[in-house]
Amino acid sequence: MATVSEVKDEPGQPPALTSLSLAEAAQEARSKEQIITPFDVSGGVDEQGKPKAIDYDKLVDNFGSQRIDKPLLERFEMVTGHKPHRMLRRGLVFSHRDLNLILDKYEKGIPFFLYTGRGPSSDSMHVGHTIPFEFTKYLQDVFDVPLVIMLTDDEKFFHTPKLSLHDVYRFTIQNAMDIIAVGFDMKKTFIFADTEFVDSGHASAFNTNVREMGKRTTINQIRGTFGFNDSNNIAEFNFPAMQSATAFATSFPFIFGTDAKKVAKVPCLIPCAIDQDPYFRQCRDNAPKMGYVKPAIIHSVFLPSLRGSESKMSASDADSSIFLSDTDNQIKKKVGKAFSGGQDTAELHREIGGRTTVDVPFQYLTFFMEDDDKLEDIRVAYEKGEMQSGEMKMACTKELQAYVSGFRERRKAVTDEVRKEFMRPRQLAFKGMPNEKQCQEARSRRIKILEEELERLKRED
């Protein structure tokens, strides 16, 4: 094929605007790099205009995180005494920042806490939302540490023009109950909604950290990290400081105590999908300047859309998602329409086999099927053509129906009273930290000191 330099310019055309160069320019215009931000997830488009799968190796390189490799998994098992979760074993939780340092601290008996969250955008969560929460529960059980869950209803309100504060708070209540149904330990878990917590009497320390973080973050940093421009509202520019503040134990004196010097040393581990990493890069940059330990992060991949691995499952697109409120019949219908890696005919499929790397039902099995040997048998049979696409979809449907059914049963037990207790600011179980009585005594002493100081100032007047 001729290149641009080999073809003379056509009459009447300026240099480099030949039909060939225009065609090449059109190809470049069709191609599009992948976009991974907290607000947009897309695998990009190739030169032929075909959607591409998300390239996680490229994300690791671009974000500057580290792959979770075999030696780290072996150390995790040795230090904790627990077999790594299936998502760790299968590379679905694949990247980290300073997980090795958390293991060092745990090995020495130094306490830490977990922090994760959810931006409520719908009444019901989908199964993709449960991935980081299920993994977080595993970490809570393994390490026996407290957990803080932030529900960013304010961020959804700021970023989504069609949503009202009433809408997002309604979503928040329902999502909180969904999250509780994952199975978290109430004694070790505090859940809060931004719009409710930040205006309460318990958020003074939290708000102080928001201000300290905000002062150290420039508009240019936010533009560069999140791609914001002049059309974004001012609340969106400020919000990253709020999401960062939750990573500091001093934001929650009712959990960790009022000894700020001691509490500032309590590290945090944040399990999240990798699209949330930009928030915590800003947080990690500024933490040492504020006298805090950099939070550690552990990243998961996205559960693919039913339409294919070039995008994630999205609550705003009902046809791309399996919701936790879906019936068994709805799950069957949706999986039946999922993108398949099978061949066009049964004969061809038997001859050359299926493609598990792009087959959405198989990808779902890697997330939800616990048995490694059974999953491997399915992979081999499908790739050899011994298992047809319909059989793969049946296996996936059965697994998802069981997963969602189990969730529905647990969800029935989550009453509004249970939700309110999870969302009540209170002391959590935490080794090496003061108990609730000690915290109350410390608060009483502090109040007495302030009252005495106020009386002294009145006498001076």
Side-chain angles (χ1 to χ4, degrees):
M1 178 179 176
T3 64
V4 173
S5 60
E6 294 171 340
V7 179
K8 293 182 179 180
D9 291 328
E10 297 171 357
Q13 291 282 9
L17 283 184
T18 63
S19 58
L20 179 58
S21 66
L22 287 171
E24 290 184 343
Q27 273 194 343
E28 289 179 6
R30 281 201 301 270
S31 66
K32 185 178 180 182
E33 285 294 314
Q34 67 180 12
I35 299 173
I36 308 295
T37 75
F39 315 106
D40 191 6
V41 173
S42 170
V45 178
D46 66 17
E47 292 79 3
Q48 285 72 45
K50 184 179 179 181
K52 296 188 296 185
I54 294 168
D55 186 339
Y56 290 101
D57 288 327
K58 190 173 184 178
L59 280 179
V60 169
D61 292 339
N62 289 348
F63 285 3
S65 59
Q66 294 177 287
R67 271 280 184 181
I68 295 176
D69 55 17
K70 186 177 179 182
L72 185 58
L73 286 180
E74 290 173 347
R75 180 149 189 266
F76 181 97
E77 185 166 6
M78 180 189 72
V79 169
T80 65
H82 290 264
K83 181 180 179 180
H85 191 276
R86 65 178 183 276
M87 287 188 273
L88 278 170
R89 303 195 303 268
R90 296 169 189 169
L92 304 175
V93 174
F94 71 105
S95 168
H96 77 101
R97 298 183 189 275
D98 293 344
L99 176 60
N100 53 314
L101 299 183
I102 291 292
L103 293 176
D104 289 345
K105 293 179 186 299
Y106 179 75
E107 201 169 24
K108 295 174 184 176
I110 298 173
F112 70 94
F113 75 104
L114 295 166
Y115 157 37
T116 194
R118 156 96 179 120
S121 58
S122 62
D123 279 313
S124 174
M125 290 166 46
H126 58 61
V127 292
H129 293 139
T130 66
I131 299 300
F133 285 113
E134 183 186 335
F135 181 65
T136 299
K137 179 188 181 303
Y138 163 83
L139 293 175
Q140 184 183 54
D141 293 343
V142 165
F143 290 111
D144 190 23
V145 291
L147 163 66
V148 174
I149 298 176
M150 180 184 199
L151 298 176
T152 58
D153 51 349
D154 52 350
E155 184 241 10
K156 286 299 178 186
F157 170 68
F158 299 150
H159 194 72
T160 312
K162 67 179 182 179
L163 290 180
S164 68
L165 278 171
H166 174 76
D167 290 332
V168 293
Y169 188 70
R170 176 168 52 85
F171 296 158
T172 295
I173 299 304
Q174 294 304 313
N175 284 190
M177 297 174 83
D178 285 348
I179 291 165
I180 292 165
V182 172
F184 292 108
D185 185 341
M186 183 187 289
K187 295 178 182 178
K188 297 183 175 69
T189 307
F190 171 55
I191 302 174
F192 72 95
D194 286 355
T195 57
E196 190 174 65
F197 178 67
V198 296
D199 294 327
S200 73
H202 298 278
S204 176
F206 177 88
N207 290 330
T208 295
N209 280 331
V210 172
R211 296 183 192 104
E212 292 283 356
M213 179 62 68
K215 182 178 179 179
R216 291 167 174 80
T217 308
T218 68
I219 293 295
N220 283 339
Q221 287 175 324
I222 298 298
R223 287 179 188 271
T225 301
F226 298 98
F228 286 176
N229 55 44
D230 291 345
S231 66
N232 289 91
N233 61 61
I234 59 174
E236 290 177 282
F237 278 90
N238 181 64
F239 178 76
M242 289 190 62
Q243 185 147 323
S244 293
T246 310
F248 305 132
T250 56
S251 291
F252 308 101
F254 52 86
I255 296 176
F256 301 104
T258 55
D259 185 341
K261 190 173 181 179
K262 178 182 179 182
V263 176
K265 297 177 182 178
V266 176
C268 173
L269 174 60
I270 306 170
C272 61
I274 196 166
D275 61 333
Q276 297 299 304
D277 186 76
Y279 281 116
F280 301 115
R281 291 204 299 273
Q282 296 282 338
C283 180
R284 284 170 56 85
D285 287 345
N286 287 318
K289 303 172 190 175
M290 297 168 64
Y292 298 142
V293 180
K294 287 184 177 182
I297 312 169
I298 187 165
H299 302 120
S300 62
V301 305
F302 306 110
L303 185 69
S305 160
L306 285 162
R307 295 193 175 95
S309 56
E310 67 277 358
S311 63
K312 68 174 182 176
M313 192 174 281
S314 172
S316 60
D317 183 358
D319 293 332
S320 77
S321 306
I322 304 290
F323 287 90
L324 295 169
S325 57
D326 281 348
T327 64
D328 285 355
N329 193 45
Q330 286 174 316
I331 293 170
K332 181 179 179 180
K333 286 182 178 179
K334 287 182 177 182
V335 174
K337 296 177 182 177
F339 185 84
S340 172
Q343 304 303 329
D344 292 339
T345 65
E347 292 75 15
L348 185 61
H349 187 91
R350 281 191 289 269
E351 182 182 341
I352 64 176
R355 299 160 294 162
T356 55
T357 55
V358 297
D359 191 275
V360 168
F362 180 77
Q363 296 301 313
Y364 288 1
L365 288 176
T366 66
F367 280 88
F368 296 105
M369 181 174 280
E370 181 62 38
D371 192 319
D372 290 338
D373 293 334
K374 186 176 179 181
L375 182 68
E376 178 62 9
D377 289 344
I378 290 173
R379 184 192 67 79
V380 171
Y382 194 66
E383 292 182 354
K384 284 184 175 181
E386 297 169 356
M387 173 185 252
Q388 291 287 332
S389 296
E391 294 172 297
M392 178 67 81
K393 289 182 176 181
M394 285 176 61
C396 176
T397 297
K398 182 178 179 182
E399 199 70 30
L400 283 174
Q401 286 174 338
Y403 185 87
V404 174
S405 175
F407 169 83
R408 281 197 297 260
E409 288 303 308
R410 295 192 301 273
R411 181 66 164 78
K412 291 177 184 177
V414 181
T415 63
D416 200 49
E417 288 70 27
V418 169
R419 176 196 63 79
K420 287 178 179 178
E421 183 60 18
F422 267 94
M423 299 182 77
R424 180 177 68 87
R426 66 201 189 283
Q427 173 71 37
L428 299 181
F430 197 106
K431 292 179 182 178
M433 288 292 119
N435 59 36
E436 191 161 5
K437 181 180 178 182
Q438 291 171 321
C439 285
Q440 182 60 49
E441 290 173 350
R443 284 194 293 271
S444 298
R445 288 194 298 270
R446 179 63 177 159
I447 290 169
K448 185 177 180 181
I449 291 170
L450 290 172
E451 288 174 342
E452 290 174 351
E453 179 66 14
L454 182 61
E455 286 299 320
R456 184 185 68 78
L457 291 171
K458 285 179 178 178
R459 287 194 300 270
E460 289 180 358
D461 287 343

Short mmCIF file of all heavy atoms in Angstrom, two decimals, residues 54 60 142 182 186 199 201 223 261 312 319 351 363 385 440 448:
data_model
loop_
_atom_site.label_atom_id
_atom_site.label_comp_id
_atom_site.label_asym_id
_atom_site.label_seq_id
_atom_site.Cartn_x
_atom_site.Cartn_y
_atom_site.Cartn_z
N ILE A 54 -10.55 -3.01 27.98
CA ILE A 54 -9.73 -2.19 28.87
C ILE A 54 -8.37 -2.85 29.06
O ILE A 54 -8.27 -4.04 29.34
CB ILE A 54 -10.44 -1.99 30.22
CG1 ILE A 54 -11.72 -1.17 30.02
CG2 ILE A 54 -9.53 -1.29 31.23
CD1 ILE A 54 -12.64 -1.16 31.21
N VAL A 60 -1.72 0.30 34.84
CA VAL A 60 -0.68 0.18 35.86
C VAL A 60 0.51 1.08 35.51
O VAL A 60 1.05 1.79 36.36
CB VAL A 60 -0.24 -1.28 36.03
CG1 VAL A 60 1.02 -1.38 36.89
CG2 VAL A 60 -1.35 -2.12 36.65
N VAL A 142 -10.27 -11.19 57.53
CA VAL A 142 -8.90 -11.71 57.62
C VAL A 142 -8.06 -10.91 58.61
O VAL A 142 -7.35 -11.47 59.45
CB VAL A 142 -8.24 -11.72 56.22
CG1 VAL A 142 -6.72 -11.91 56.33
CG2 VAL A 142 -8.83 -12.82 55.35
N VAL A 182 -24.12 -7.40 52.35
CA VAL A 182 -22.92 -8.14 51.95
C VAL A 182 -22.40 -8.96 53.12
O VAL A 182 -21.79 -10.02 52.93
CB VAL A 182 -21.84 -7.17 51.41
CG1 VAL A 182 -20.51 -7.89 51.18
CG2 VAL A 182 -22.32 -6.51 50.11
N MET A 186 -21.12 -5.40 62.21
CA MET A 186 -21.59 -4.12 62.73
C MET A 186 -20.64 -3.54 63.77
O MET A 186 -20.44 -2.32 63.84
CB MET A 186 -22.99 -4.26 63.33
CG MET A 186 -23.57 -2.95 63.83
SD MET A 186 -25.14 -3.16 64.72
CE MET A 186 -26.26 -3.59 63.39
N ASP A 199 -22.60 17.72 58.27
CA ASP A 199 -23.30 18.77 58.99
C ASP A 199 -23.66 18.37 60.41
O ASP A 199 -24.33 19.11 61.12
CB ASP A 199 -24.57 19.18 58.24
CG ASP A 199 -24.27 19.83 56.90
OD1 ASP A 199 -23.25 20.51 56.80
OD2 ASP A 199 -25.07 19.65 55.96
N GLY A 201 -22.78 16.98 64.42
CA GLY A 201 -21.86 17.40 65.46
C GLY A 201 -20.64 16.50 65.59
O GLY A 201 -19.77 16.74 66.43
N ARG A 223 -7.70 19.83 37.63
CA ARG A 223 -7.91 19.78 36.18
C ARG A 223 -7.09 18.66 35.55
O ARG A 223 -7.60 17.88 34.74
CB ARG A 223 -7.49 21.12 35.54
CG ARG A 223 -8.43 22.29 35.79
CD ARG A 223 -7.87 23.53 35.11
NE ARG A 223 -8.60 24.74 35.45
CZ ARG A 223 -9.65 25.19 34.78
NH1 ARG A 223 -10.11 24.51 33.74
NH2 ARG A 223 -10.25 26.32 35.15
N LYS A 261 -1.91 12.88 68.02
CA LYS A 261 -0.55 12.47 67.66
C LYS A 261 -0.48 10.96 67.44
O LYS A 261 0.17 10.48 66.49
CB LYS A 261 0.42 12.89 68.77
CG LYS A 261 1.89 12.73 68.39
CD LYS A 261 2.78 13.33 69.47
CE LYS A 261 4.25 13.19 69.09
NZ LYS A 261 5.14 13.79 70.11
N LYS A 312 -17.54 -1.11 31.55
CA LYS A 312 -17.95 -1.77 32.79
C LYS A 312 -19.47 -1.81 32.90
O LYS A 312 -20.18 -1.07 32.20
CB LYS A 312 -17.36 -1.03 34.00
CG LYS A 312 -17.92 0.36 34.24
CD LYS A 312 -17.39 0.94 35.55
CE LYS A 312 -17.99 2.31 35.84
NZ LYS A 312 -17.58 2.85 37.14
N ASP A 319 -29.79 -2.52 30.66
CA ASP A 319 -29.55 -3.68 29.80
C ASP A 319 -28.11 -4.18 29.85
O ASP A 319 -27.80 -5.25 29.33
CB ASP A 319 -29.91 -3.34 28.35
CG ASP A 319 -31.40 -3.11 28.17
OD1 ASP A 319 -32.19 -3.70 28.94
OD2 ASP A 319 -31.79 -2.34 27.26
N GLU A 351 -15.20 -27.21 16.16
CA GLU A 351 -13.94 -27.36 15.43
C GLU A 351 -12.82 -26.52 16.03
O GLU A 351 -11.70 -27.02 16.22
CB GLU A 351 -14.15 -26.95 13.97
CG GLU A 351 -12.91 -27.11 13.10
CD GLU A 351 -13.15 -26.65 11.67
OE1 GLU A 351 -14.31 -26.55 11.25
OE2 GLU A 351 -12.14 -26.38 10.98
N GLN A 363 -16.36 -14.62 31.80
CA GLN A 363 -15.75 -13.60 32.65
C GLN A 363 -16.50 -13.48 33.96
O GLN A 363 -15.89 -13.34 35.03
CB GLN A 363 -15.74 -12.25 31.93
CG GLN A 363 -14.89 -12.21 30.67
CD GLN A 363 -13.43 -12.55 30.95
OE1 GLN A 363 -12.85 -12.04 31.89
NE2 GLN A 363 -12.87 -13.43 30.14
N GLY A 385 -14.00 -26.50 22.38
CA GLY A 385 -15.24 -26.70 21.63
C GLY A 385 -16.11 -27.79 22.18
O GLY A 385 -17.13 -28.16 21.57
N GLN A 440 -15.50 8.62 75.97
CA GLN A 440 -16.48 9.50 76.63
C GLN A 440 -15.81 10.29 77.76
O GLN A 440 -16.06 11.48 77.94
CB GLN A 440 -17.64 8.67 77.17
CG GLN A 440 -18.73 9.52 77.82
CD GLN A 440 -19.35 10.52 76.87
OE1 GLN A 440 -19.74 10.17 75.77
NE2 GLN A 440 -19.44 11.78 77.29
N LYS A 448 -14.87 20.02 79.98
CA LYS A 448 -14.61 20.72 81.24
C LYS A 448 -13.52 21.77 81.07
O LYS A 448 -13.63 22.90 81.57
CB LYS A 448 -14.21 19.72 82.31
CG LYS A 448 -14.04 20.35 83.70
CD LYS A 448 -13.72 19.30 84.74
CE LYS A 448 -13.56 19.95 86.12
NZ LYS A 448 -13.22 18.95 87.17
#
